[in-house]
Amino acid sequence: MIDWILGILALLALLVAGVPIALAMTIVALVGMSVLLGVDPTFAMLGQVFYDNAMSYTLSVMPLFVLMGNFVVKAGLADDLYEAANAWLRHYRGGLAMATIVACGGFSSVCGSSLATAATTARVSMPAMRRYGYSDGLATGTIAAGGTLGILIPPSIVLVIYGVITQSDIGKLFLAGILPGVVGIIGYLVAVRLSLLRSDEHAQEAEPLPWSTRLRATRGIAGVLILFVGVIGGIYLGAFTANEAAGVGAFGAFVLALLRRRLDRAALYEILVETSRMTAMLFFVLFGGILFANFVNVAGLPADLNHWITLFGADPVPVILMILAIYLLLGMVLESISMVLLTVPIFFPIVTGLGFDAIWFGIFVVVAVEISLITPPVGLNVFVLKAVLPEVPTRVIFRGVLPFVLIDVVRILLLIGVPSIALLIPATT
Amino acid sequence: MTAAVLLFAMMIVTVVDVIGRYFLSRPLPGAFELTEILLALTVFISAPLVCLREEHITVTLLTDRLSARAREIQAIVAATLGCFIFGIVAWQLFEHARRLAAYGDVTLFLRIPKGPLGYAMAACTALAALSLMLVAYERCKSARQLIREAR
Amino acid sequence: QTVLRLSNWLPSQHPLFEQTIKPWTEQVTKATDGRVVIQLLAAPLGPPAAHFDFAANGVADVTFGIHSYTPGRFTATLLAELPFQTESAEYLSVAYWRVHQRYLAKANEHRGTKLLAIFTHGPGQLWTRDRDLSSMQSLRGSKIRVAGGFAQDGAKALGVIPIQAPVTEVYQVLAGGIADGVEFPAESIDSFNLTGVLDRGLLVPGGLYNVSMFLVVNAGRWSKLSKQDQDAIMSVSGEQLARTAGRTWDRADADALASMRKAGKIELATPSEQQMAAIRKALEPYVTKTLQQISAKGIDARAAQQELQKEIAALKARGGS
Ligand code: NA
Ligand code: NA
């Protein structure tokens, strides 16, 4: 038991010291495994983990969805989405923030990354909210929280990773994410209204737009709609696998960007290089995470956790609540993908052993990870916003996301109480 | 550059496979394996660039609050550590590739030998380690600069 | 006391794990009076295909897996994957172990490990949806998901288009019409829940292919065990374990076929004599090619094949012993 405790402490120390996550996990795993297994086997496993997981068909879904997201950004779909949502919602109280949430939801339906969703939406929605007197807290909080929808509404990189670790059907996971995603949008709309209750909030309603403008703006979302229906509908109908959906989706977004004349050779090259770099970054975190997971596995962490949980009794609900608490705690300091890599191999056997559905747990994990993106002190979505808007203090953004975090917790409790929120759609295929 | 082409090829392979299957009832033979190989090469060929730009995902909780000089030193430590680890990874990928070549492992359908792929991955990782060495060197220079200015 | 770590990549309810591997670990403890204990890791250390290497490199001490998951590496083991051998995984597995010891072991393909058992699943059959299975001609051009090893060649021989897909995605691939069918033993149709997406099964006597599997322990760890413990472990491994594994697969196949017959959703057919002749003729060149590949490893493949068939016949005549 002491082995994995030391390992986790060492990992946290390295992370705080600013060692890149991929490196920190690799180092701790290497040292730990060398102690437990000997140096030769550990090194042999190192080569194999890097080789096998790079040559993985299932994981090819990741760069392709990232590519699709980048084409979608280039095609300017975020602007269209925001314009459409704005046209319908701007004249309500908190309307611009609500439009931001809806645009985030729409954008995340074609983008697999929360960070990309937050960064893109920030660019289009922040100026308008400022113009109408929204406080920086509400405006940035809305974008940071709205961005988290990116990994819940399919496609989703985190769900892909979950699927790979647990050998679950990625297509089913995607379908399971749809309804909780919609619930998430509704929840965030409620959170916007809650934020307006603060006395220092001076958000004004904008003047309503004529119906003709609204309808014209709505036409602009056709591109997103076609992509989403093509990709997720294709998975739903079984016309293609998640991998194929990713390839076809990326190609569709590529064509869309071409048709809109947003793509020349230079832009295409830039997108491809950026996607390759993001892919490499994600994969090295993944390699480190897999090594670290192997280390805690060999060090006996799963067995120890199992033992503690049986002390708790075999009642599923207290166990899942405890796991939720662990996720919220870990989510404060860990980045989303490493969190999934670290925790899922440990919790998955326990949770499925208690009779929870594997697909359901995937959604549970994603919602828990989503929350981690906006909780202090390490909230990646908050940091992304901070990078886009350097003049807004981090503290203000964290205060702004607070109502959204509360709504998130309510949502995950709802998911525990009513599992069919996740399981309804995949069950109909 | 190469990574960009490979990534684009990965997308095209999938699309051709799907179109071939639905419209010509002839899926692209070995699309599965081609995708795997393209993915592996994309990841490893991009690695040196990611290292050179110091883009590895990092928790910046504490490091943001450090002084400029301390931050340089922290970066030097991280890059040196990274160089060391990537060096080991390159070495072990090389060893793994050698084993695969000795076993005569090939891909299932296209019968592409797996050893050379492993060697390519090892070479890219070695380049990544060198990139980090370069980063550490540059960081050392700017740290010295900062110290000189402080005096 | 020696603790050997076993990395298991199967779901813990899978018959092979539950009824063969897990009981075997308990037998090892008993046979060695507790001097050797096999510890099951809570989660696998990597993908199924990596498991031979895990044992060879000492990442895990004991692993089991499928030879054809690492194409190009194992050739001699293709002998057990040839078509038309027997209905019984038990007979095939026991005969395979014996022939392996006598003929195949000298190819030394399990380098770095000590082979504890070698076995196969039941006969691999063809399952389809919306396809006429009554003739070879009607099958031509169908997209069929097949395993590696001999099944790849076999698919070419039958004129079908082999589809590659991870085992976990077979359901989706069939449900969406990406593939028109799959080659599997009957057990897998049940365990992967495919009864709803298939409507026909062609039960070829002795199967169209088979899949060869191993159970190995790291060579270094093995050599450190006392002779007494090695003997004790082998007393519950080798032929005995091959028999248990074969029986497990046979039972699973029988259960699956029985529930298919009861549910009536999958129409089961055996090929007509004429069709069987056509299948034999189509596969024959590939069987010859495979035997040549095995011979290239310095093994008398023809003799090994005849020996395998003789052993199977003898086992059948004696009811398995
Ligand atoms: Na998404
Ligand atoms: Na957090």
Side-chain angles (χ1 to χ4, degrees), chain A residues 36-37 40-41 44-45 48 52 57-58 167 169 171-172 235 237-244 290 294 297-298 302-303 345 349 429, chain C residues 5 9 39 41-51 53-54 57-60 164-166 168-169 171-173 175-178:
Chain A
L36 294 172
L37 295 179
D40 288 347
M45 145 169 273
Q48 193 168 12
D52 284 347
Y57 179 70
T58 324
Q167 302 195 2
D169 187 328
K172 275 210 175 113
I235 294 177
L237 293 174
F240 26 71
T241 62
N243 285 66
E244 293 168 349
I290 290 167
N294 279 350
N297 183 9
V298 172
T429 58
Chain C
R5 268 182 301 257
W9 48 272
Q39 178 205 340
L41 289 175
L45 294 169
H51 275 68
D53 282 339
F54 285 156
N57 299 331
V59 177
Q164 276 182 296
T168 46
E169 272 180 29
Y171 178 89
Q172 219 199 335
V173 158
I178 291 169

Coordinates of all heavy atoms in Angstrom, one line a residue, chain A residues 36-37 40-41 44-45 48 52 57-58 167 169 171-172 235 237-244 290 294 297-298 302-303 345 349 429, chain C residues 5 9 39 41-51 53-54 57-60 164-166 168-169 171-173 175-178:
Chain A
L36 N 9.3 -2.3 -8.0 CA 8.5 -3.5 -7.8 C 8.8 -4.6 -8.7 O 8.7 -5.8 -8.3 CB 7.0 -3.0 -8.1 CG 6.4 -2.0 -7.1 CD1 5.0 -1.6 -7.6 CD2 6.3 -2.7 -5.7
L37 N 9.2 -4.4 -10.0 CA 9.4 -5.4 -10.9 C 10.8 -5.7 -11.3 O 11.2 -6.7 -11.9 CB 8.6 -5.1 -12.2 CG 7.1 -5.1 -12.2 CD1 6.6 -4.7 -13.6 CD2 6.5 -6.4 -11.8
D40 N 14.8 -4.2 -15.9 CA 14.6 -4.7 -17.2 C 13.2 -4.9 -17.7 O 12.8 -4.4 -18.7 CB 15.4 -6.1 -17.4 CG 16.9 -5.9 -17.4 OD1 17.3 -4.7 -17.5 OD2 17.6 -6.9 -17.3
P41 N 12.3 -5.5 -16.9 CA 10.9 -5.6 -17.3 C 10.3 -4.2 -17.5 O 9.5 -4.0 -18.4 CB 10.2 -6.4 -16.2 CG 11.3 -7.1 -15.5 CD 12.6 -6.3 -15.7
A44 N 11.3 -2.7 -20.7 CA 10.7 -3.4 -21.8 C 9.3 -2.9 -21.9 O 8.8 -2.7 -23.1 CB 10.8 -4.9 -21.6
M45 N 8.6 -2.8 -20.8 CA 7.2 -2.4 -20.9 C 7.1 -0.9 -21.4 O 6.2 -0.6 -22.2 CB 6.6 -2.4 -19.5 CG 5.6 -1.3 -19.2 SD 4.6 -1.6 -17.7 CE 3.4 -2.6 -18.4
Q48 N 7.1 -1.0 -25.1 CA 5.9 -1.6 -25.6 C 4.7 -0.7 -25.5 O 3.9 -0.6 -26.4 CB 5.7 -2.9 -24.9 CG 4.6 -3.7 -25.5 CD 4.6 -5.1 -25.0 OE1 5.2 -5.4 -23.9 NE2 3.9 -6.0 -25.6
D52 N 2.7 0.2 -28.8 CA 1.4 -0.4 -28.9 C 0.3 0.7 -29.0 O -0.7 0.6 -29.8 CB 1.0 -1.3 -27.8 CG 1.7 -2.7 -28.0 OD1 2.3 -2.9 -29.1 OD2 1.7 -3.5 -27.0
Y57 N -5.7 1.5 -33.6 CA -6.8 1.9 -34.5 C -7.8 2.7 -33.7 O -8.2 3.8 -34.1 CB -7.4 0.7 -35.1 CG -8.5 1.1 -36.1 CD1 -8.3 1.7 -37.3 CD2 -9.9 0.8 -35.7 CE1 -9.3 2.1 -38.1 CE2 -10.9 1.1 -36.6 CZ -10.6 1.7 -37.8 OH -11.7 2.1 -38.6
T58 N -8.2 2.2 -32.5 CA -9.2 2.9 -31.8 C -8.9 4.3 -31.4 O -9.7 5.2 -31.4 CB -9.5 2.1 -30.4 OG1 -9.3 0.7 -30.7 CG2 -10.8 2.4 -29.9
Q167 N -12.6 -0.7 -22.8 CA -13.0 -1.5 -23.9 C -14.5 -1.4 -24.1 O -15.2 -2.4 -24.3 CB -12.6 -3.0 -23.8 CG -11.1 -3.1 -23.6 CD -10.6 -4.5 -23.9 OE1 -11.4 -5.4 -24.1 NE2 -9.3 -4.7 -23.7
D169 N -17.9 0.4 -26.0 CA -18.3 0.8 -27.3 C -18.3 2.3 -27.4 O -19.1 2.9 -26.7 CB -19.6 0.2 -27.7 CG -20.0 0.4 -29.1 OD1 -19.6 1.5 -29.6 OD2 -20.7 -0.4 -29.7
G171 N -19.1 4.3 -29.8 CA -20.4 4.8 -30.4 C -21.5 4.9 -29.4 O -22.2 5.9 -29.3
K172 N -21.6 3.9 -28.5 CA -22.7 3.9 -27.5 C -22.4 5.0 -26.5 O -23.3 5.7 -26.0 CB -22.7 2.5 -26.8 CG -23.5 1.5 -27.5 CD -24.1 0.5 -26.4 CE -25.1 -0.4 -27.1 NZ -24.6 -1.8 -27.1
I235 N -23.5 7.2 -36.5 CA -23.2 6.2 -35.4 C -24.5 5.6 -34.9 O -24.5 4.4 -34.7 CB -22.4 6.9 -34.2 CG1 -21.1 7.4 -34.7 CG2 -22.3 6.0 -33.1 CD1 -20.3 8.2 -33.7
L237 N -27.3 5.1 -36.4 CA -27.9 4.2 -37.3 C -27.0 3.0 -37.6 O -27.4 2.1 -38.2 CB -28.2 4.9 -38.6 CG -29.3 5.9 -38.6 CD1 -29.4 6.7 -39.9 CD2 -30.6 5.3 -38.2
G238 N -25.7 3.1 -37.1 CA -24.8 2.1 -37.3 C -24.2 2.1 -38.7 O -23.6 1.2 -39.2
A239 N -24.3 3.3 -39.4 CA -23.8 3.4 -40.8 C -22.3 3.4 -40.7 O -21.6 2.9 -41.6 CB -24.3 4.6 -41.5
F240 N -21.7 3.9 -39.7 CA -20.3 3.7 -39.5 C -19.9 3.7 -38.0 O -20.6 4.1 -37.2 CB -19.4 4.8 -40.3 CG -20.1 6.1 -40.5 CD1 -20.3 7.0 -39.5 CD2 -20.4 6.4 -41.8 CE1 -20.9 8.2 -39.8 CE2 -21.0 7.6 -42.1 CZ -21.2 8.5 -41.1
T241 N -18.6 3.2 -37.8 CA -18.1 3.1 -36.5 C -17.7 4.5 -36.0 O -17.6 5.4 -36.8 CB -16.9 2.2 -36.4 OG1 -15.9 2.7 -37.2 CG2 -17.3 0.8 -36.9
A242 N -17.3 4.6 -34.7 CA -16.9 5.9 -34.2 C -15.6 6.4 -35.0 O -15.5 7.6 -35.3 CB -16.6 5.8 -32.7
N243 N -14.7 5.5 -35.3 CA -13.5 5.9 -36.0 C -13.9 6.4 -37.4 O -13.4 7.4 -37.8 CB -12.7 4.6 -36.3 CG -11.9 4.3 -35.0 OD1 -12.6 3.8 -34.1 ND2 -10.6 4.4 -35.0
E244 N -14.8 5.7 -38.1 CA -15.2 6.2 -39.4 C -15.9 7.5 -39.3 O -15.7 8.4 -40.2 CB -16.0 5.1 -40.1 CG -15.2 3.9 -40.4 CD -16.1 2.7 -40.8 OE1 -17.3 2.8 -40.7 OE2 -15.5 1.7 -41.2
I290 N -1.0 5.7 -19.0 CA -1.1 4.2 -19.1 C 0.0 3.6 -18.2 O -0.3 2.7 -17.4 CB -1.1 3.8 -20.5 CG1 -2.4 4.2 -21.2 CG2 -0.9 2.3 -20.6 CD1 -2.3 4.0 -22.7
N294 N -0.5 1.4 -14.9 CA 0.1 0.1 -14.7 C 0.8 0.0 -13.4 O 0.8 -1.0 -12.7 CB 1.0 -0.2 -15.8 CG 0.3 -0.7 -17.0 OD1 -0.9 -1.0 -17.0 ND2 1.0 -0.8 -18.2
N297 N -1.6 -0.3 -10.5 CA -2.1 -1.7 -10.6 C -1.2 -2.7 -10.0 O -1.6 -3.5 -9.1 CB -2.4 -2.0 -12.1 CG -3.1 -3.3 -12.3 OD1 -3.5 -3.9 -11.4 ND2 -3.2 -3.7 -13.6
V298 N 0.1 -2.7 -10.4 CA 1.0 -3.6 -9.9 C 1.2 -3.4 -8.4 O 1.4 -4.3 -7.6 CB 2.3 -3.5 -10.6 CG1 3.4 -4.4 -10.0 CG2 2.1 -4.0 -12.1
P302 N -5.8 -1.1 -6.7 CA -7.2 -1.5 -6.9 C -7.7 -2.4 -5.8 O -8.8 -2.3 -5.2 CB -7.2 -2.2 -8.2 CG -6.0 -1.7 -8.9 CD -5.0 -1.4 -7.9
A303 N -6.8 -3.4 -5.4 CA -7.2 -4.3 -4.3 C -7.4 -3.6 -3.0 O -8.4 -3.8 -2.3 CB -6.1 -5.4 -4.2
P345 N -9.2 3.1 -14.5 CA -8.8 1.7 -14.3 C -9.0 1.2 -12.9 O -9.2 0.0 -12.6 CB -7.3 1.7 -14.6 CG -7.1 2.9 -15.4 CD -8.1 3.9 -15.0
P349 N -13.6 -1.5 -12.3 CA -14.0 -2.9 -11.8 C -14.9 -2.8 -10.6 O -15.8 -3.6 -10.5 CB -12.6 -3.6 -11.5 CG -11.6 -2.6 -11.7 CD -12.1 -1.3 -12.3
T429 N -31.0 1.8 -29.9 CA -30.3 1.4 -31.2 C -30.5 -0.1 -31.4 O -30.6 -0.9 -30.5 CB -28.8 1.7 -31.2 OG1 -28.2 1.0 -30.1 CG2 -28.6 3.1 -31.1
Chain C
R5 N 2.7 -13.0 -10.8 CA 1.6 -12.1 -11.2 C 1.0 -12.5 -12.6 O 1.7 -12.7 -13.5 CB 2.1 -10.6 -11.3 CG 1.9 -9.9 -10.0 CD 2.4 -8.5 -10.3 NE 3.7 -8.5 -10.7 CZ 4.7 -8.2 -9.8 NH1 4.5 -7.8 -8.6 NH2 6.0 -8.3 -10.3
W9 N -6.7 -10.3 -19.5 CA -7.3 -9.3 -20.3 C -8.8 -9.6 -20.7 O -9.5 -8.9 -21.4 CB -6.6 -9.1 -21.6 CG -6.2 -10.3 -22.3 CD1 -5.1 -11.1 -22.1 CD2 -6.9 -11.0 -23.3 NE1 -5.0 -12.2 -22.9 CE2 -6.2 -12.2 -23.7 CE3 -8.1 -10.8 -24.0 CZ2 -6.6 -13.1 -24.6 CZ3 -8.6 -11.8 -24.9 CH2 -7.8 -12.9 -25.2
Q39 N -1.0 -14.4 -8.4 CA -1.8 -13.2 -8.0 C -2.4 -12.7 -9.3 O -1.7 -12.4 -10.3 CB -0.9 -12.2 -7.3 CG -1.5 -10.9 -7.0 CD -0.6 -9.8 -6.9 OE1 0.6 -10.0 -6.8 NE2 -1.1 -8.6 -7.0
L41 N -3.8 -9.7 -11.3 CA -3.8 -8.2 -11.3 C -5.2 -7.8 -11.6 O -6.0 -8.4 -12.3 CB -2.9 -7.7 -12.5 CG -1.4 -7.9 -12.2 CD1 -0.6 -7.4 -13.4 CD2 -1.0 -7.1 -11.0
A42 N -5.6 -6.6 -10.9 CA -7.0 -6.2 -11.0 C -7.3 -5.7 -12.4 O -8.5 -5.8 -12.8 CB -7.2 -5.0 -10.0
A43 N -6.3 -5.2 -13.1 CA -6.6 -4.7 -14.5 C -5.5 -5.2 -15.4 O -4.4 -5.4 -14.9 CB -6.7 -3.2 -14.5
P44 N -5.8 -5.5 -16.7 CA -4.7 -5.9 -17.5 C -3.7 -4.8 -17.7 O -4.0 -3.7 -17.6 CB -5.4 -6.2 -18.9 CG -6.7 -5.4 -18.8 CD -7.1 -5.3 -17.4
L45 N -2.4 -5.2 -18.0 CA -1.4 -4.3 -18.2 C -1.3 -3.6 -19.5 O -0.5 -2.7 -19.8 CB 0.0 -4.9 -17.9 CG 0.2 -5.4 -16.4 CD1 1.4 -6.3 -16.3 CD2 0.3 -4.2 -15.5
G46 N -2.1 -4.2 -20.4 CA -2.1 -3.6 -21.8 C -3.1 -4.4 -22.7 O -3.8 -5.2 -22.2
P47 N -3.0 -4.1 -24.0 CA -4.0 -4.8 -24.9 C -3.7 -6.3 -25.0 O -2.5 -6.7 -24.7 CB -3.7 -4.1 -26.2 CG -2.3 -3.5 -26.1 CD -2.1 -3.2 -24.7
P48 N -4.7 -7.1 -25.4 CA -4.5 -8.6 -25.5 C -3.2 -8.9 -26.2 O -2.5 -9.8 -25.8 CB -5.8 -9.0 -26.2 CG -6.8 -8.0 -25.9 CD -6.0 -6.7 -25.7
A49 N -3.0 -8.2 -27.3 CA -1.9 -8.6 -28.2 C -0.5 -8.5 -27.5 O 0.5 -9.1 -27.9 CB -1.9 -7.8 -29.5
A50 N -0.4 -7.7 -26.5 CA 0.8 -7.4 -25.8 C 1.2 -8.5 -24.8 O 2.3 -8.5 -24.2 CB 0.8 -6.1 -25.2
H51 N 0.3 -9.4 -24.6 CA 0.4 -10.3 -23.4 C 1.5 -11.4 -23.6 O 2.1 -11.8 -22.6 CB -0.9 -10.9 -23.0 CG -1.7 -10.0 -22.1 ND1 -2.2 -8.8 -22.5 CD2 -1.9 -10.1 -20.8 CE1 -2.8 -8.2 -21.5 NE2 -2.6 -8.9 -20.5
D53 N 4.4 -10.7 -25.0 CA 5.6 -9.9 -24.6 C 5.7 -9.7 -23.1 O 6.8 -9.7 -22.6 CB 5.6 -8.6 -25.4 CG 6.0 -8.8 -26.8 OD1 6.7 -9.7 -27.1 OD2 5.7 -7.9 -27.6
F54 N 4.6 -9.4 -22.5 CA 4.6 -9.2 -21.1 C 5.2 -10.3 -20.3 O 6.0 -10.1 -19.4 CB 3.1 -9.0 -20.5 CG 2.5 -7.7 -20.9 CD1 1.2 -7.5 -20.9 CD2 3.4 -6.6 -21.2 CE1 0.6 -6.3 -21.3 CE2 2.8 -5.3 -21.5 CZ 1.4 -5.2 -21.5
N57 N 9.1 -10.6 -21.4 CA 9.9 -9.5 -20.8 C 9.8 -9.4 -19.3 O 10.4 -8.5 -18.7 CB 9.5 -8.2 -21.4 CG 9.8 -8.2 -22.9 OD1 10.6 -8.9 -23.4 ND2 9.0 -7.4 -23.6
G58 N 9.0 -10.2 -18.7 CA 8.9 -10.2 -17.2 C 8.0 -9.1 -16.7 O 8.1 -8.8 -15.5
V59 N 7.3 -8.4 -17.6 CA 6.4 -7.3 -17.1 C 5.3 -8.0 -16.2 O 4.9 -7.5 -15.1 CB 5.8 -6.6 -18.2 CG1 4.8 -5.5 -17.7 CG2 6.9 -5.9 -19.1
A60 N 4.7 -9.1 -16.7 CA 3.9 -9.9 -15.9 C 4.6 -11.3 -15.9 O 5.4 -11.5 -16.7 CB 2.5 -10.0 -16.5
Q164 N -11.6 -5.9 -41.1 CA -10.9 -5.9 -39.9 C -11.6 -5.0 -38.9 O -12.0 -3.9 -39.2 CB -9.5 -5.3 -40.1 CG -8.5 -6.2 -40.6 CD -7.1 -5.6 -40.8 OE1 -7.0 -4.7 -41.6 NE2 -6.2 -6.0 -40.0
A165 N -11.8 -5.5 -37.7 CA -12.5 -4.7 -36.6 C -12.1 -5.3 -35.3 O -12.0 -6.5 -35.2 CB -14.0 -4.7 -36.8
P166 N -11.9 -4.5 -34.3 CA -11.6 -5.0 -33.0 C -12.8 -5.9 -32.5 O -13.9 -5.6 -32.8 CB -11.5 -3.8 -32.1 CG -11.3 -2.6 -33.0 CD -11.9 -3.0 -34.3
T168 N -14.3 -6.0 -29.8 CA -15.3 -5.3 -29.1 C -16.3 -4.5 -30.0 O -17.3 -4.1 -29.6 CB -14.7 -4.3 -28.1 OG1 -13.7 -3.6 -28.8 CG2 -14.1 -5.0 -26.9
E169 N -15.9 -4.3 -31.2 CA -16.8 -3.6 -32.1 C -17.6 -4.4 -33.1 O -18.3 -3.9 -34.0 CB -15.9 -2.6 -32.9 CG -15.7 -1.3 -32.2 CD -14.9 -0.3 -33.0 OE1 -14.9 -0.4 -34.3 OE2 -14.2 0.5 -32.4
Y171 N -20.2 -6.2 -32.8 CA -21.6 -6.0 -32.7 C -22.0 -4.8 -33.6 O -22.9 -4.9 -34.5 CB -22.1 -5.8 -31.3 CG -23.6 -5.5 -31.2 CD1 -24.5 -6.5 -31.1 CD2 -24.1 -4.2 -31.3 CE1 -25.9 -6.3 -31.1 CE2 -25.5 -4.0 -31.3 CZ -26.4 -5.0 -31.2 OH -27.7 -4.8 -31.2
Q172 N -21.3 -3.7 -33.4 CA -21.6 -2.5 -34.1 C -21.4 -2.6 -35.6 O -22.2 -2.2 -36.4 CB -20.7 -1.4 -33.6 CG -21.4 -0.1 -33.4 CD -20.4 1.0 -33.4 OE1 -19.3 0.8 -33.0 NE2 -20.8 2.2 -33.8
V173 N -20.3 -3.3 -35.9 CA -20.0 -3.5 -37.3 C -21.1 -4.3 -38.0 O -21.4 -4.1 -39.2 CB -18.6 -4.2 -37.4 CG1 -18.4 -4.9 -38.7 CG2 -17.5 -3.2 -37.2
A175 N -24.3 -4.7 -36.8 CA -25.6 -4.0 -36.6 C -25.8 -2.9 -37.7 O -26.9 -2.7 -38.2 CB -25.8 -3.4 -35.2
G176 N -24.7 -2.2 -38.0 CA -24.8 -1.2 -39.0 C -24.6 -1.6 -40.4 O -24.6 -0.8 -41.3
G177 N -24.4 -2.9 -40.6 CA -24.3 -3.4 -42.0 C -22.9 -3.1 -42.5 O -22.7 -3.2 -43.8
I178 N -22.0 -2.8 -41.7 CA -20.6 -2.6 -42.2 C -20.0 -3.9 -42.6 O -19.3 -4.0 -43.6 CB -19.7 -1.9 -41.1 CG1 -20.2 -0.5 -40.9 CG2 -18.3 -2.0 -41.4 CD1 -19.6 0.2 -39.6

